[in-house]
Amino acid sequence: MKIKLFCCMAAVAMAFTGCAKKPTFFVDPEWTEKPTSVTVEFTKPMVENQDDVKDDLEEYADNFSAWFKAELTKDLNLVTKNSVAFDVVEVNASDLVHEKDSIQTVEFNMMKPMAMDGEGYYLVLSNVNFSRREDSYENMAYSQNVAQNGYGAPANNSMATAGPTIADNGLWLYADYAYYSAKTGNRVAFGHWNIKSKFAYAMTRGDWEKCVLALVKKTLARTPILKNK
């Protein structure tokens, strides 16, 4: 019923905007209580190229989870201005219950703690993956220039001479997440994020930090956690 309500609201929004975007998250509209405490559980984050960790986070080359935990803790406290008590812990995927849900035609994967204590909330981050990638896409300025002026006659546009494609280098962070009420055991929010920190020449520690901060901000957004912070 709650998912249907969300879809109806999305449909109304689409009618005004004239475009349809795939949903990436859901927050139960009945979740209005600002938590005083949140237990954050995360499964071991995966890194596509371990050499990147050695280059940028040398002291964590053999324990990337420790860096991820420290960044999560720092950013959660930063974004909430220490208004919520967070307990961040790494857990094994085998100790969680795998669940699926969907919004419209988009399916989401998430994990739920087998047991939850107290009356606070739980946030579970799963399928966390860091990947350095190069994405290529069509250079629209170049294509429009060719169409208007023909080959060999570039317009006064620096992008028009950059070639038919543009390549973006970036560090990508993928993650699934879900919030649960310890009191009721119900899931109150969930989603999936694809986050990218672009870099021109070389990846640095700052790119890793930007990705985690963006993940924290997106995961907290539109939840009562940020009420009256």
Side-chain angles (χ1 to χ4, degrees):
M1 181 62 70
K2 293 169 184 173
I3 299 295
K4 290 181 180 178
L5 174 62
F6 175 86
C7 293
C8 289
M9 293 170 64
V12 172
M14 286 158 49
F16 283 98
T17 61
C19 62
K21 293 184 179 180
K22 290 185 177 181
T24 56
F25 70 94
F26 167 77
V27 179
D28 187 337
E30 295 183 8
W31 182 26
T32 59
E33 172 193 23
K34 178 181 174 69
T36 57
S37 64
V38 177
T39 300
V40 182
E41 297 186 347
F42 68 92
T43 56
K44 183 179 181 180
M46 299 292 105
V47 179
E48 187 176 89
N49 187 349
Q50 288 296 326
D51 287 339
D52 290 333
V53 180
K54 295 178 181 178
D55 291 339
D56 302 329
L57 306 166
E58 184 177 0
E59 67 271 37
Y60 293 101
D62 297 322
N63 193 1
F64 182 73
S65 288
W67 174 84
F68 186 66
K69 177 180 178 178
E71 282 298 305
L72 275 180
T73 304
K74 179 188 71 176
D75 292 339
L76 286 165
N77 291 326
L78 174 68
V79 176
T80 61
K81 296 183 178 178
N82 296 301
S83 64
V84 176
F86 290 100
D87 181 21
V88 183
V89 294
E90 182 178 4
V91 297
N92 294 321
S94 59
D95 295 330
L96 300 169
V97 178
H98 294 241
E99 296 187 332
K100 290 183 180 292
D101 207 332
S102 61
I103 303 174
Q104 299 174 29
T105 59
V106 180
E107 188 173 83
F108 293 81
N109 297 304
M110 63 208 78
M111 296 185 181
K112 178 180 181 179
M114 290 186 179
M116 292 180 281
D117 299 324
E119 296 187 355
Y121 287 81
Y122 279 69
L123 165 60
V124 182
L125 294 164
S126 57
N127 303 315
V128 179
N129 189 291
F130 289 85
S131 174
R132 173 166 50 86
R133 290 174 46 181
E134 178 183 283
D135 289 339
S136 299
Y137 55 93
E138 183 180 2
N139 184 342
M140 296 304 296
Y142 178 91
S143 300
Q144 290 170 3
N145 174 69
V146 170
Q148 294 172 5
N149 301 292
Y151 290 99
N156 293 325
N157 185 332
S158 60
M159 292 298 294
T161 61
T165 60
I166 296 175
D168 270 350
N169 295 309
L171 175 65
W172 284 78
L173 168 57
Y174 306 87
D176 298 313
Y177 73 94
Y179 286 94
Y180 297 90
S181 166
K183 184 177 181 179
T184 65
N186 295 333
R187 182 167 5 101
V188 294
F190 63 89
H192 173 87
W193 297 118
N194 297 334
I195 295 166
K196 181 180 182 181
S197 178
K198 293 195 294 185
F199 55 87
Y201 304 107
M203 195 165 69
T204 67
R205 176 186 291 260
D207 294 296
W208 300 84
E209 294 172 346
K210 287 178 184 177
C211 280
V212 177
L213 179 58
L215 174 65
V216 168
K217 287 182 176 179
K218 286 177 174 289
T219 304
L220 295 177
R222 300 178 179 85
T223 72
I225 294 174
L226 294 185
K227 287 175 61 176
N228 301 318
K229 62 178 184 176

